[in-house]
Amino acid sequence: MFNLILFGPPGSGKGTQSANIVQAYHLQHISTGDLLRSEVSRQTPLGVDAQKYMDQGLLVPDEVVIGMISNKIDENPDARGFIFDGFPRTRGQAEALDKLLELKKTQIHLVLALEVPEEDLIKRLVGRGATSGRSDDTEEVITKRIKEYHAKTEPVAGYYHAFGKLQRLKGDNTIEDTFKLLSAEIEKHLQPA
Ligand code: B4P
């Protein structure tokens, strides 16, 4: 089993590159953003609660997100491995993920962090907001999301660096070139499916 975290600020391309990685390496994709948006669109009790945080650019409480991840791992016992997209976003989530994977006798093997200048992040997300209809892609909320990233999520990189699992990559090339950089790192551990 090979488990990968795709890490980076909002708009760094985690969702975009996850789709490419899933296609090439057949890992099971787990995006907490997608899972939360699905709960919101179905207006489940979890979704109604999560929407309050997401609309303000804030992180959803750890216990909500960790419960969703645990269910998703359990639903895929035969996966070749997982790609965690947008998770963990706090140190508490990182520690909880380690415990969940330990129970399954596996671990995180690699953390790939996409680095993109802040002005590019804002441009990309405002651009997506023009067509996505996402309530968190307005300039005001994007600024809050980036602030929340620096305060709570950036320190998670240090957590994985301490275990020698973190690899930082330039994320401001084209989508194709960024995928090549990611693939080169992944193929040190795993061959295409
Ligand atoms: P997410 O859904 O995870 O999304 P994201 O950070 O906006 O974006 P991502 O990095 O995936 O960017 P993308 O590829 O789409 O989070 C949304 C919200 O959910 C959070 O703010 C939070 O409230 C909540 N949440 C999610 N996970 C949570 C957790 N674990 N704990 C607590 N709360 C959580 O790319 C963005 C745009 O850039 C796209 O338009 C794309 O086409 C473009 N793009 C991508 N790569 C490009 C490139 N190389 N060049 C030019 N454009 C590019």
Side-chain angles (χ1 to χ4, degrees):
M1 193 173 226
F2 173 73
N3 299 309
L4 168 71
I5 292 173
L6 210 49
F7 188 82
S12 54
K14 304 182 295 288
T16 305
Q17 295 298 339
S18 289
N20 292 334
I21 294 170
V22 166
Q23 204 181 9
Y25 301 100
H26 293 194
L27 298 175
Q28 179 65 45
H29 183 206
I30 303 187
S31 157
T32 39
D34 288 351
L35 290 172
L36 288 167
R37 278 185 289 279
S38 158
E39 299 279 347
V40 170
S41 71
R42 288 181 284 125
Q43 287 288 288
T44 63
L46 191 158
V48 170
D49 190 37
Q51 187 168 18
K52 290 185 251 160
Y53 297 93
M54 295 170 81
D55 283 353
Q56 294 181 67
L58 301 173
L59 293 180
V60 173
D62 283 355
E63 57 275 18
V64 173
V65 181
I66 291 163
M68 285 192 327
I69 291 277
S70 176
N71 291 340
K72 207 68 195 162
I73 293 175
D74 289 344
E75 283 167 19
N76 292 280
D78 300 324
R80 185 185 196 204
F82 292 94
I83 170 165
F84 296 97
D85 158 10
F87 178 89
R89 264 175 152 100
T90 63
R91 194 184 162 99
Q93 292 181 15
E95 288 168 351
L97 179 60
D98 277 352
K99 285 196 190 121
L100 281 175
L101 293 177
E102 202 181 314
L103 285 175
K104 314 244 168 260
K105 309 224 177 318
T106 185
Q107 58 169 315
I108 289 298
H109 296 91
L110 181 62
V111 180
L112 295 176
L114 290 171
E115 298 190 315
V116 178
E118 202 151 307
E119 66 263 30
D120 290 0
L121 298 175
I122 295 170
K123 241 188 268 163
R124 286 182 187 182
L125 292 173
V126 169
R128 182 174 68 185
T131 54
S132 69
R134 268 177 62 166
S135 57
D136 59 350
D137 276 348
T138 63
E139 196 154 351
E140 189 195 343
V141 179
I142 291 164
T143 307
K144 278 208 209 148
R145 287 164 64 193
I146 293 175
K147 214 167 147 194
E148 186 88 332
Y149 170 79
H150 288 308
K152 297 186 182 157
T153 306
E154 214 166 39
V156 175
Y159 176 83
Y160 289 107
H161 177 70
F163 293 108
K165 294 181 176 178
L166 181 77
Q167 182 68 45
R168 296 182 188 274
L169 297 173
K170 230 170 105 56
D172 58 347
N173 293 318
T174 62
I175 291 172
E176 294 71 25
D177 286 348
T178 303
F179 179 58
K180 281 185 200 150
L181 289 178
L182 291 164
S183 296
E185 290 305 322
I186 292 170
E187 286 178 22
K188 291 178 186 168
H189 301 258
L190 185 73
Q191 286 314 300

